[in-house]
Amino acid sequence: MACLRLALTPGEPAGIGPDISIQLACQRREYDLVVVADPEILRQRARQRGLALIVESYDPAQPPEPGVSGTLKVLPLRAPVPVTTGCLSPGNAAYVLACLRRSVAGCLQGEFSALVTGPVHKGIINQAGISFSGHTEFLAQLCNRSQVVMMLTAPGLRVALATTHLPLREVSAAITRRGLEGTLRILHRDLRQRFGISRPRILVCGLNPHAGEGGHLGREEIEIIEPVIATLRAQGMQLFGPLPADTLFVPRYLKEADAVLAMYHDQGLPVLKHVGFGRAVNITLGLPIIRTSVDHGTALDLAGKGPVGSGSLEAAVEAALAMAEREQLSK
């Protein structure tokens, strides 16, 4: 199999994204990694950490080749404001998004086999006057997709979300028959195509406590979730629910499931992060490209101060490679 070339965006330059990118460079790699970032930020962080780092300029004309320990290949984009480790600056918000735009363009054009993203800081991007609710929604816009699905994976568990970064009071209105059906179709299709699961078994959470208690605690299950599940079951999907979220995440249910669909962010992700924080991977389903990401935030207080956990980034790279290899074999 040909050597695969991945794009990596470190994310918020003042956070631990540069740290974990450099730590990844300390390993020998069987794939070609291109970091889309300001090379001076990486050099500065390596000096702070006392790590030897050789920065090479990325040449797209050169064929992909396995990475050498201690070396990072960088596609240079300049940050307009000097970075102070641990201190956010709205002046670099546009730079963070420019790195994403360049990486996505490369994936769409076949220059990169997949995109792996480090953590961004939503607040500072919005403070800069740029409307931004998260990677998932931004990548959907770049790829011209009206609907995508956020899914996190950890050893033994996959959790997808029917809604993503919304205030809790807006969740119920955001769960519609059309939207939920689209989410389940994307999840089912990508479990088959990206993960090689021929007949996915998906557990669907209810929205309300006790999955609505027969309508006494809410009617979304009766009016929206159950009809969608019935429609898709009739088309051959293996869907189970709506199930109460407080008892769904137990071994007797999960052992037979390939994924869980939670109705909102904090319904499903606390369980997944409890199971695998630091090893979990965020995957955007429904895109024409492969995108994985870390399961953690920018950790400004840890940036530049010493070794930080890079297990989630390593898992994100492994997941991206597995999906890219499967895609390569299917061509």
PDB file of all heavy atoms in Angstrom, residues 120-138:
ATOM      1  N   VAL A 120      -9.237  23.823  19.004  1.00  0.00           N
ATOM      2  CA  VAL A 120      -9.394  25.262  18.805  1.00  0.00           C
ATOM      3  C   VAL A 120     -10.145  25.848  19.993  1.00  0.00           C
ATOM      4  O   VAL A 120     -10.741  25.115  20.788  1.00  0.00           O
ATOM      5  CB  VAL A 120     -10.142  25.586  17.495  1.00  0.00           C
ATOM      6  CG1 VAL A 120      -9.347  25.113  16.289  1.00  0.00           C
ATOM      7  CG2 VAL A 120     -11.542  24.984  17.498  1.00  0.00           C
ATOM      8  N   HIS A 121     -10.115  27.156  20.109  1.00  0.00           N
ATOM      9  CA  HIS A 121     -10.817  27.853  21.191  1.00  0.00           C
ATOM     10  C   HIS A 121     -11.964  28.645  20.568  1.00  0.00           C
ATOM     11  O   HIS A 121     -11.750  29.686  19.942  1.00  0.00           O
ATOM     12  CB  HIS A 121      -9.852  28.774  21.939  1.00  0.00           C
ATOM     13  CG  HIS A 121     -10.376  29.267  23.249  1.00  0.00           C
ATOM     14  ND1 HIS A 121     -11.373  30.217  23.340  1.00  0.00           N
ATOM     15  CD2 HIS A 121     -10.061  28.921  24.533  1.00  0.00           C
ATOM     16  CE1 HIS A 121     -11.636  30.457  24.604  1.00  0.00           C
ATOM     17  NE2 HIS A 121     -10.857  29.677  25.359  1.00  0.00           N
ATOM     18  N   LYS A 122     -13.185  28.137  20.709  1.00  0.00           N
ATOM     19  CA  LYS A 122     -14.343  28.771  20.078  1.00  0.00           C
ATOM     20  C   LYS A 122     -14.536  30.204  20.563  1.00  0.00           C
ATOM     21  O   LYS A 122     -14.888  31.098  19.778  1.00  0.00           O
ATOM     22  CB  LYS A 122     -15.610  27.951  20.357  1.00  0.00           C
ATOM     23  CG  LYS A 122     -15.577  26.521  19.875  1.00  0.00           C
ATOM     24  CD  LYS A 122     -16.883  25.813  20.211  1.00  0.00           C
ATOM     25  CE  LYS A 122     -16.829  24.328  19.919  1.00  0.00           C
ATOM     26  NZ  LYS A 122     -15.884  23.604  20.804  1.00  0.00           N
ATOM     27  N   GLY A 123     -14.326  30.415  21.850  1.00  0.00           N
ATOM     28  CA  GLY A 123     -14.579  31.736  22.415  1.00  0.00           C
ATOM     29  C   GLY A 123     -13.729  32.825  21.801  1.00  0.00           C
ATOM     30  O   GLY A 123     -14.228  33.913  21.484  1.00  0.00           O
ATOM     31  N   ILE A 124     -12.440  32.574  21.619  1.00  0.00           N
ATOM     32  CA  ILE A 124     -11.555  33.615  21.100  1.00  0.00           C
ATOM     33  C   ILE A 124     -11.829  33.877  19.618  1.00  0.00           C
ATOM     34  O   ILE A 124     -11.654  35.001  19.138  1.00  0.00           O
ATOM     35  CB  ILE A 124     -10.062  33.257  21.339  1.00  0.00           C
ATOM     36  CG1 ILE A 124      -9.196  34.519  21.286  1.00  0.00           C
ATOM     37  CG2 ILE A 124      -9.564  32.218  20.348  1.00  0.00           C
ATOM     38  CD1 ILE A 124      -9.474  35.505  22.400  1.00  0.00           C
ATOM     39  N   ILE A 125     -12.280  32.854  18.887  1.00  0.00           N
ATOM     40  CA  ILE A 125     -12.641  33.057  17.478  1.00  0.00           C
ATOM     41  C   ILE A 125     -13.869  33.956  17.388  1.00  0.00           C
ATOM     42  O   ILE A 125     -13.927  34.889  16.578  1.00  0.00           O
ATOM     43  CB  ILE A 125     -12.861  31.709  16.777  1.00  0.00           C
ATOM     44  CG1 ILE A 125     -11.551  30.916  16.734  1.00  0.00           C
ATOM     45  CG2 ILE A 125     -13.396  31.920  15.359  1.00  0.00           C
ATOM     46  CD1 ILE A 125     -11.680  29.497  16.198  1.00  0.00           C
ATOM     47  N   ASN A 126     -14.853  33.714  18.241  1.00  0.00           N
ATOM     48  CA  ASN A 126     -16.040  34.567  18.260  1.00  0.00           C
ATOM     49  C   ASN A 126     -15.705  35.971  18.763  1.00  0.00           C
ATOM     50  O   ASN A 126     -16.276  36.958  18.288  1.00  0.00           O
ATOM     51  CB  ASN A 126     -17.131  33.927  19.118  1.00  0.00           C
ATOM     52  CG  ASN A 126     -17.858  32.809  18.389  1.00  0.00           C
ATOM     53  OD1 ASN A 126     -18.746  33.059  17.583  1.00  0.00           O
ATOM     54  ND2 ASN A 126     -17.469  31.572  18.667  1.00  0.00           N
ATOM     55  N   GLN A 127     -14.786  36.052  19.702  1.00  0.00           N
ATOM     56  CA  GLN A 127     -14.368  37.360  20.209  1.00  0.00           C
ATOM     57  C   GLN A 127     -13.724  38.198  19.105  1.00  0.00           C
ATOM     58  O   GLN A 127     -13.778  39.431  19.138  1.00  0.00           O
ATOM     59  CB  GLN A 127     -13.376  37.175  21.365  1.00  0.00           C
ATOM     60  CG  GLN A 127     -13.035  38.454  22.101  1.00  0.00           C
ATOM     61  CD  GLN A 127     -12.107  38.197  23.287  1.00  0.00           C
ATOM     62  OE1 GLN A 127     -12.210  37.180  23.961  1.00  0.00           O
ATOM     63  NE2 GLN A 127     -11.185  39.106  23.528  1.00  0.00           N
ATOM     64  N   ALA A 128     -13.133  37.525  18.132  1.00  0.00           N
ATOM     65  CA  ALA A 128     -12.520  38.225  17.002  1.00  0.00           C
ATOM     66  C   ALA A 128     -13.557  38.704  15.988  1.00  0.00           C
ATOM     67  O   ALA A 128     -13.203  39.296  14.957  1.00  0.00           O
ATOM     68  CB  ALA A 128     -11.518  37.304  16.306  1.00  0.00           C
ATOM     69  N   GLY A 129     -14.851  38.432  16.272  1.00  0.00           N
ATOM     70  CA  GLY A 129     -15.909  38.875  15.365  1.00  0.00           C
ATOM     71  C   GLY A 129     -16.242  37.874  14.282  1.00  0.00           C
ATOM     72  O   GLY A 129     -16.922  38.216  13.309  1.00  0.00           O
ATOM     73  N   ILE A 130     -15.782  36.626  14.453  1.00  0.00           N
ATOM     74  CA  ILE A 130     -16.041  35.573  13.473  1.00  0.00           C
ATOM     75  C   ILE A 130     -17.019  34.585  14.091  1.00  0.00           C
ATOM     76  O   ILE A 130     -16.743  34.003  15.142  1.00  0.00           O
ATOM     77  CB  ILE A 130     -14.741  34.839  13.091  1.00  0.00           C
ATOM     78  CG1 ILE A 130     -13.704  35.824  12.550  1.00  0.00           C
ATOM     79  CG2 ILE A 130     -15.020  33.737  12.064  1.00  0.00           C
ATOM     80  CD1 ILE A 130     -12.311  35.228  12.391  1.00  0.00           C
ATOM     81  N   SER A 131     -18.165  34.410  13.450  1.00  0.00           N
ATOM     82  CA  SER A 131     -19.153  33.457  13.962  1.00  0.00           C
ATOM     83  C   SER A 131     -18.624  32.038  13.779  1.00  0.00           C
ATOM     84  O   SER A 131     -18.329  31.613  12.659  1.00  0.00           O
ATOM     85  CB  SER A 131     -20.479  33.633  13.215  1.00  0.00           C
ATOM     86  OG  SER A 131     -21.432  32.702  13.677  1.00  0.00           O
ATOM     87  N   PHE A 132     -18.486  31.315  14.883  1.00  0.00           N
ATOM     88  CA  PHE A 132     -17.876  29.988  14.837  1.00  0.00           C
ATOM     89  C   PHE A 132     -18.427  29.156  15.986  1.00  0.00           C
ATOM     90  O   PHE A 132     -18.252  29.513  17.154  1.00  0.00           O
ATOM     91  CB  PHE A 132     -16.349  30.112  14.966  1.00  0.00           C
ATOM     92  CG  PHE A 132     -15.601  28.808  14.886  1.00  0.00           C
ATOM     93  CD1 PHE A 132     -15.280  28.260  13.664  1.00  0.00           C
ATOM     94  CD2 PHE A 132     -15.210  28.143  16.041  1.00  0.00           C
ATOM     95  CE1 PHE A 132     -14.574  27.061  13.581  1.00  0.00           C
ATOM     96  CE2 PHE A 132     -14.507  26.955  15.982  1.00  0.00           C
ATOM     97  CZ  PHE A 132     -14.193  26.411  14.744  1.00  0.00           C
ATOM     98  N   SER A 133     -19.116  28.055  15.662  1.00  0.00           N
ATOM     99  CA  SER A 133     -19.676  27.206  16.715  1.00  0.00           C
ATOM    100  C   SER A 133     -18.887  25.927  16.901  1.00  0.00           C
ATOM    101  O   SER A 133     -19.138  25.181  17.849  1.00  0.00           O
ATOM    102  CB  SER A 133     -21.142  26.866  16.409  1.00  0.00           C
ATOM    103  OG  SER A 133     -21.268  26.230  15.158  1.00  0.00           O
ATOM    104  N   GLY A 134     -17.923  25.656  16.009  1.00  0.00           N
ATOM    105  CA  GLY A 134     -17.098  24.474  16.187  1.00  0.00           C
ATOM    106  C   GLY A 134     -16.545  23.947  14.874  1.00  0.00           C
ATOM    107  O   GLY A 134     -16.989  24.317  13.786  1.00  0.00           O
ATOM    108  N   HIS A 135     -15.550  23.070  15.009  1.00  0.00           N
ATOM    109  CA  HIS A 135     -14.960  22.422  13.834  1.00  0.00           C
ATOM    110  C   HIS A 135     -16.031  21.779  12.953  1.00  0.00           C
ATOM    111  O   HIS A 135     -16.007  21.918  11.724  1.00  0.00           O
ATOM    112  CB  HIS A 135     -14.008  21.310  14.300  1.00  0.00           C
ATOM    113  CG  HIS A 135     -12.590  21.722  14.456  1.00  0.00           C
ATOM    114  ND1 HIS A 135     -11.925  21.607  15.651  1.00  0.00           N
ATOM    115  CD2 HIS A 135     -11.681  22.218  13.573  1.00  0.00           C
ATOM    116  CE1 HIS A 135     -10.664  22.010  15.497  1.00  0.00           C
ATOM    117  NE2 HIS A 135     -10.506  22.394  14.253  1.00  0.00           N
ATOM    118  N   THR A 136     -16.931  21.022  13.570  1.00  0.00           N
ATOM    119  CA  THR A 136     -17.891  20.222  12.811  1.00  0.00           C
ATOM    120  C   THR A 136     -18.687  21.087  11.848  1.00  0.00           C
ATOM    121  O   THR A 136     -18.784  20.787  10.651  1.00  0.00           O
ATOM    122  CB  THR A 136     -18.838  19.481  13.776  1.00  0.00           C
ATOM    123  OG1 THR A 136     -18.061  18.678  14.668  1.00  0.00           O
ATOM    124  CG2 THR A 136     -19.803  18.587  13.011  1.00  0.00           C
ATOM    125  N   GLU A 137     -19.247  22.168  12.362  1.00  0.00           N
ATOM    126  CA  GLU A 137     -20.070  23.033  11.534  1.00  0.00           C
ATOM    127  C   GLU A 137     -19.231  23.783  10.497  1.00  0.00           C
ATOM    128  O   GLU A 137     -19.661  23.968   9.345  1.00  0.00           O
ATOM    129  CB  GLU A 137     -20.817  24.029  12.430  1.00  0.00           C
ATOM    130  CG  GLU A 137     -21.761  23.379  13.431  1.00  0.00           C
ATOM    131  CD  GLU A 137     -21.092  22.863  14.700  1.00  0.00           C
ATOM    132  OE1 GLU A 137     -19.850  23.017  14.844  1.00  0.00           O
ATOM    133  OE2 GLU A 137     -21.802  22.298  15.547  1.00  0.00           O
ATOM    134  N   PHE A 138     -18.038  24.208  10.879  1.00  0.00           N
ATOM    135  CA  PHE A 138     -17.167  24.938   9.955  1.00  0.00           C
ATOM    136  C   PHE A 138     -16.736  24.053   8.788  1.00  0.00           C
ATOM    137  O   PHE A 138     -16.738  24.479   7.624  1.00  0.00           O
ATOM    138  CB  PHE A 138     -15.936  25.451  10.711  1.00  0.00           C
ATOM    139  CG  PHE A 138     -15.036  26.335   9.904  1.00  0.00           C
ATOM    140  CD1 PHE A 138     -15.441  27.598   9.512  1.00  0.00           C
ATOM    141  CD2 PHE A 138     -13.760  25.908   9.539  1.00  0.00           C
ATOM    142  CE1 PHE A 138     -14.603  28.423   8.769  1.00  0.00           C
ATOM    143  CE2 PHE A 138     -12.920  26.723   8.795  1.00  0.00           C
ATOM    144  CZ  PHE A 138     -13.340  27.987   8.404  1.00  0.00           C
TER     145      PHE A 138
END
